[in-house]
Amino acid sequence: MKFSELAHEKSTSLWLSSKNHPFIKGIEDGTLPLSAFKAYLIQDNYYVKNYLAIYDKILATSQDSQVIDALKSGIQAITAYDVDQQNGIYQGLNMTDDEIQQAEILPTTYHYTCHMHHAFDSYGEVHALAALLPCPWLYLEIFQEMLARKDYLKGTQQIYIDFVNSYADETFQGYVHEMIQLLDDLVNKHQDELDMDLLLQQFMYSSAEELRFWQMTLLPEKWDSFTTAQSK
Ligand SMILES: Cc1ncc(CO)c(N)n1
């Protein structure tokens, strides 16, 4: 079994929880308050910046031309699907640069981005790529499945329809498949020296963080609940 297949299988229930999450259902039926979507976008702005920063760290140190080529085209995909698309949405929602840059980074965003940096800093590029993969792959699955449902997006807002269509489109799918292939090739190349359990853990942690990411803006999450002693 390929590493990607194993990781995907082990993450099934976590991914299902994301797919059924009220945030996702709210995008589909239009009940997600715009305030929650805005809060998500603000956290995601920081997240995507860090995602690209990890790509840069890998590009600056990798000796593997397959990794370098794939990440260079990956940067273009992230720029088109995450950065440029989100910039368009910010404008549509009248969100200012100050509002985005000065917002507080919430615990889950901080934790998820630290996890991805840690995977690279402590274990190197293959582990980092395992931590990075659930991000685009899960989005592709969530939004392709949403589009495939017969009455998808009935009554939802145009801004949500555009968001879903973008992450479900063929070019994005091509990028995701390239990243899956890259990781499987690297696992084969480095089979003897890789700790497979640790590698799987990188992917699983990120799958859990993706679920927390939806929850964070709906709760909404607050640092107070982390910085106040609780008896239970
Ligand atoms: C948290 C998160 N996961 C996945 C994606 C998709 O690239 C994103 N933009 N943000």
Side-chain angles (χ1 to χ4, degrees), residues 42-142:
I42 287 173
Q43 298 301 312
D44 208 48
N45 184 276
Y46 178 88
Y47 173 84
V48 170
K49 266 193 208 132
N50 278 276
Y51 202 91
L52 286 169
I54 296 161
Y55 266 24
D56 282 342
K57 286 206 267 194
I58 298 174
L59 279 171
T61 51
S62 186
Q63 309 286 329
D64 187 326
S65 60
Q66 189 190 359
V67 172
I68 295 169
D69 290 347
L71 293 204
K72 279 186 182 161
S73 69
I75 287 180
Q76 287 173 358
I78 296 171
T79 304
Y81 285 91
D82 295 303
V83 181
D84 291 349
Q85 171 179 235
Q86 292 192 359
N87 283 337
I89 297 177
Y90 301 147
Q91 282 175 11
L93 294 176
N94 295 320
M95 291 165 73
T96 64
D97 233 24
D98 280 357
E99 185 184 353
I100 297 161
Q101 304 309 332
Q102 287 165 18
E104 184 180 46
I105 299 310
L106 294 173
T108 290
T109 310
Y110 186 68
H111 193 251
Y112 191 2
T113 51
C114 284
H115 161 57
M116 296 190 301
H117 280 288
H118 174 63
F120 177 77
D121 296 342
S122 299
Y123 311 119
E125 66 187 24
V126 186
H127 284 79
L129 290 168
L132 292 170
L133 186 56
C135 157
W137 193 1
L138 175 64
Y139 272 42
L140 179 72
E141 275 200 12
I142 290 176

Side-chain angles (χ1 to χ4, degrees), residues 133-216:
L133 186 56
C135 157
W137 193 1
L138 175 64
Y139 272 42
L140 179 72
E141 275 200 12
I142 290 176
F143 297 119
Q144 280 192 336
E145 287 175 21
M146 195 182 281
L147 281 188
R149 283 194 280 273
K150 223 170 102 241
D151 55 350
Y152 83 96
L153 302 173
K154 222 179 251 171
T156 200
Q157 323 195 28
Q158 190 60 42
I159 205 150
Y160 295 158
I161 295 175
D162 294 344
F163 184 77
V164 171
N165 278 328
S166 143
Y167 284 120
D169 88 7
E170 273 177 22
T171 313
F172 189 68
Q173 178 175 328
Y175 156 63
V176 174
H177 286 171
E178 199 181 333
M179 299 318 287
I180 295 171
Q181 180 76 48
L182 173 67
L183 185 57
D184 283 331
D185 287 349
L186 290 172
V187 170
N188 286 337
K189 252 189 248 181
H190 301 283
Q191 223 159 26
D192 297 338
E193 65 254 37
L194 282 174
D195 177 339
M196 290 299 168
D197 290 340
L198 191 63
L199 194 65
L200 192 59
Q201 205 175 62
Q202 308 311 321
F203 189 97
M204 301 290 291
Y205 281 164
S206 291
S207 297
E209 300 283 0
E210 286 289 337
L211 176 60
R212 288 179 52 177
F213 214 89
W214 307 120
Q215 280 167 203
M216 159 176 68

